[in-house]
Amino acid sequence: MIKRVSVIGAGLIGSGWATLLATKGYEVSLYTDKKETLDRGVAKIKSYLEVMKNMGLVDKDPDYYMKNLHTTVNMDEAIEGTDFVIEAIIEDYDTKKKVFSYLDEKLDKNVILSSSTSGLLMTEIQKAMKRYPERGVIAHPWNPPHLLPLVEIVPGEKTSQETLNETKDFMEKLDRVVVVLKKEVPGFLGNRLAFALFREAVYLVDEGIATVEDIDKVMTAAIGLRWAFMGPFLTYHLGGGEGGLEYFFNRGFGYGANEWMYSLAKYDKFPYTGVVRAVQQMKEYSTIRGKSFQELSKWRDEKLFQIYKIVWGDKKQNNGQ
């Protein structure tokens, strides 16, 4: 039974995990090797809890949940008595391998070692696990982890079915929406889909076809409204009318799209000119002009919660949860 969780890393993702775990009643040990980074992480957690309290996501003051949090710059102290580990450090194989090698050497074989990586492969990380590589697994949250419910669970070549089952069960106890990939692929599901669209968005900016602000308007005033509660397959199934997805592909817009799909962006890395234009235009973006990162984060969190209540709150009620 999982009671104590060690979170390795106190950045945005680590702090979000710690917030979620603390509100669910788990003992959380938050670790990073720099005191100033740890202090910033604690400040983030307090801020997240305040927002959650104001939104009605939790019913007690932040100090109540902060009692579940232990912070340290000592790795051994962080993992003492732990039942589950969540790694949330820099996206770098060498750095992650060092951490997983150390954890694998120190911890009992029953302690699952999960990574929050947004695209790296557990098969590669497992090469550093000499004792029990079968307990290594990806549990990729979406930012912010304490608000967005999705967690993608991705096995490595040596990940055991028991590890997958226990990780899925734990994430569901945290009220996460869990997707278990049948096999690993770089970037997993969500980021591959998101970056396919983002690649096209940067291309449109680079070509001078639209500004970053107008592209965001297209997403939020049309595509994003549908995608908040329907994925692309259901969207285009309905787009096919009575004939559904089959009609869409064979006779409808899907078939006609073949005429212009060849013009979509095909580059395998963002072009320098597109990056420069996008960054410059973001500085002129009316929605963010004059607002701090903290102000924008709070605005985002409040909007996410409003959408979550409408979409996922309704689904929970319909499912009798």
Side-chain angles (χ1 to χ4, degrees):
M1 184 176 180
I2 297 173
K3 295 182 178 180
R4 183 178 178 85
V5 181
S6 298
V7 178
I8 310 300
L12 288 173
I13 301 301
S15 298
W17 272 123
T19 302
L20 174 66
L21 291 160
T23 61
K24 298 297 183 181
Y26 290 90
E27 297 176 36
V28 185
S29 184
L30 181 66
Y31 162 83
T32 189
D33 59 353
K34 293 183 175 62
K35 180 65 163 56
E36 57 269 26
T37 305
L38 193 60
D39 290 342
R40 287 196 297 269
V42 171
K44 287 189 186 77
I45 293 168
K46 290 179 179 178
S47 177
Y48 294 158
L49 290 170
E50 288 173 1
V51 172
M52 292 176 76
K53 176 65 161 49
N54 292 337
M55 294 189 300
L57 270 173
V58 295
D59 56 6
K60 294 181 174 61
D61 292 330
D63 287 344
Y64 175 86
Y65 301 104
M66 291 299 293
K67 293 177 183 178
N68 293 332
L69 181 68
H70 171 73
T71 63
T72 179
V73 292
N74 183 291
M75 175 77 83
D76 289 338
E77 184 179 340
I79 62 176
E80 183 178 357
T82 193
D83 300 310
F84 194 96
V85 175
I86 296 176
E87 169 269 312
I89 62 173
I90 188 172
E91 290 287 89
D92 175 75
Y93 273 125
D94 288 340
T95 308
K96 289 185 186 295
K97 283 181 176 181
K98 289 178 182 177
V99 170
F100 273 78
S101 175
Y102 187 82
L103 295 173
D104 185 49
E105 181 65 31
K106 288 283 186 176
L107 292 172
D108 181 80
K109 65 179 180 179
N110 295 321
V111 178
I112 291 175
L113 308 182
S114 71
S115 174
S116 300
T117 178
S118 58
L120 301 182
L121 301 182
M122 179 49 63
T123 293
E124 183 63 27
I125 297 172
Q126 284 173 330
K127 292 178 181 178
M129 301 170 67
K130 304 304 181 185
R131 297 174 70 217
Y132 309 112
E134 65 275 6
R135 41 102 167 254
V137 67
I138 304 296
H140 171 233
W142 278 66
N143 188 36
H146 57 289
L147 293 180
L148 286 180
L150 180 66
V151 172
E152 297 173 291
I153 296 178
V154 190
E157 288 181 359
K158 296 182 178 180
T159 304
S160 69
Q161 188 61 47
E162 183 180 10
T163 295
L164 288 177
N165 293 342
E166 290 184 11
T167 303
K168 181 176 184 289
D169 180 67
F170 179 45
M171 292 300 150
E172 289 177 341
K173 282 184 170 64
L174 295 175
D175 294 324
R176 301 302 88 186
V177 176
V178 179
V179 173
V180 181
L181 272 65
K182 298 183 182 300
K183 60 181 180 179
E184 62 181 351
V185 61
F188 319 139
L189 297 183
N191 275 328
R192 290 180 74 93
L193 294 169
F195 268 77
L197 189 146
F198 191 45
R199 176 175 62 180
E200 182 64 21
V202 174
Y203 169 78
L204 294 171
V205 170
D206 193 31
E207 291 293 307
I209 295 169
T211 65
V212 296
E213 187 162 4
D214 283 341
I215 289 171
D216 275 9
K217 286 179 181 177
V218 169
M219 287 300 305
T220 56
I223 299 172
L225 288 178
R226 296 191 302 198
W227 283 2
F229 58 94
M230 296 189 300
F233 286 104
L234 181 54
T235 294
Y236 292 122
H237 176 70
L238 294 177
E242 296 295 331
L245 189 62
E246 183 177 8
Y247 181 85
F248 179 86
F249 278 129
N250 293 334
R251 301 275 184 175
F253 184 72
Y255 181 80
N258 290 337
E259 298 180 7
W260 54 261
M261 279 198 299
Y262 73 91
S263 68
L264 294 173
K266 296 178 177 64
Y267 49 74
D268 56 10
K269 62 181 179 180
F270 293 122
Y272 174 77
T273 51
V275 171
V276 171
R277 290 189 176 105
V279 171
Q280 180 57 42
Q281 289 179 25
M282 282 303 298
K283 297 176 182 178
E284 303 164 0
Y285 201 149
S286 62
T287 301
I288 70 171
R289 192 181 299 133
K291 294 184 175 66
S292 67
F293 174 81
Q294 289 74 19
E295 290 172 327
L296 286 170
S297 295
K298 183 178 179 181
W299 167 81
R300 174 202 63 191
D301 291 353
E302 291 171 347
K303 292 294 184 183
L304 284 175
F305 176 61
Q306 291 170 4
I307 295 171
Y308 178 85
K309 279 201 303 184
I310 294 171
V311 179
W312 288 99
D314 181 60
K315 287 187 177 183
K316 283 189 174 184
Q317 290 175 2
N318 290 339
N319 291 334
Q321 296 179 350

